[in-house]
Amino acid sequence: MIRWVAAAVLVVALAIGGWFGYRALTAPDPAVAPIRVEQDVPEAPPTGIETVDTSGAGPMIAGTTPMAERIAVIGVLNKRNGASREVRLRPGGVARIGDVVVRLRACDRTAPWEAEQLTGAFVQMDVRGPDRAWRRGFSGWLFKERSALNVVQHPIYDVWTKSCTMSFPATGPDTESIAGTRSRAPKSAAPRPDTTSGEPAVVPPSSAASSNAM
């Protein structure tokens, strides 16, 4: 009887020891920090920086391409290694190249009938630093023809506008079509002989008669 009791106690002790051993092996080590999965693109701008959305702001000429359907080409330069890339974005689009994220809010260019031609894009650039935190590096309009109007002051990355694909109507809003209109001014009639004075009318010689007389 004593042997059976001792065997039962041994089995119970082994079961309890095995359970605690399994918990010890599967429990996470408190000294090891959990791995944080980095997002490919930061969903929100850095704290304290306002995101300006100009996709629907401002009047547009009737017949032009809607803002959401325009396509901009933005150049991105890494000043450390001289590598440059191009990204094609629609307003609202986001692209990531390494530690830099480019957001396009809007793009626009002046109509063909305007005297001064400008091509611009509203770009926001977020850069990830050595501490793995994302910070806003630039936010504003960049013009292809006048790069000095807004300079990207970042020590590593640079962005600039290359093009904005959009269409315009055939004519401007103040253009008035005059096709098909004709002048209705009366034609000058040839002078008729005066028969009321009783004197013979003087008829000027024709060109043929003049040439014969000579």
Side-chain angles (χ1 to χ4, degrees):
M1 183 68 180
I2 298 177
R3 292 180 179 180
W4 286 105
V5 172
V9 172
L10 180 60
V11 170
V12 172
L14 291 175
I16 295 176
W19 169 253
F20 281 103
Y22 172 78
R23 291 292 304 273
L25 291 175
T26 58
D29 188 355
V32 178
I35 299 175
R36 185 179 62 179
V37 179
E38 293 288 341
Q39 297 179 352
D40 290 341
V41 176
E43 297 180 356
T47 305
I49 299 179
E50 181 183 2
T51 299
V52 180
D53 189 353
T54 61
S55 58
M60 292 194 302
I61 302 174
T64 58
T65 304
M67 184 64 68
E69 300 178 7
R70 304 177 186 183
I71 300 177
V73 177
I74 306 299
V76 183
L77 172 66
N78 187 330
K79 300 177 184 178
R80 286 180 174 175
N81 54 21
S84 62
R85 293 276 301 275
E86 290 184 357
V87 293
R88 294 170 57 89
L89 296 172
R90 294 180 184 271
V94 183
R96 176 180 175 181
I97 304 175
D99 290 336
V100 61
V101 170
V102 178
R103 304 172 187 268
L104 178 69
R105 296 301 180 182
C107 82
D108 197 6
R109 61 186 178 91
T110 51
W113 54 81
E114 297 290 344
E116 184 179 11
Q117 296 295 307
L118 290 176
T119 303
F122 193 96
V123 180
Q124 292 177 325
M125 181 182 69
D126 296 335
V127 180
R128 186 171 62 175
D131 57 353
R132 317 302 291 178
W134 291 94
R135 295 178 179 84
R136 177 60 46 85
F138 176 80
S139 179
W141 281 95
L142 296 172
F143 293 94
K144 175 182 178 181
E145 294 80 4
R146 294 193 176 183
S147 57
L149 291 179
N150 208 350
V151 180
V152 180
Q153 297 180 348
H154 192 271
I156 302 176
Y157 295 101
D158 189 15
V159 291
W160 66 94
T161 302
K162 303 196 73 172
S163 66
C164 177
T165 303
M166 57 180 294
S167 60
F168 293 89
T171 58
D174 299 330
T175 303
E176 181 180 356
S177 177
I178 58 174
T181 60
R182 296 180 178 179
S183 175
R184 297 183 178 179
K187 297 181 179 180
S188 58
R192 296 183 177 180
D194 185 6
T195 58
T196 59
S197 60
E199 298 181 357
V202 179
V203 180
S206 63
S207 58
S210 302
S211 60
N212 292 334
M214 296 175 62

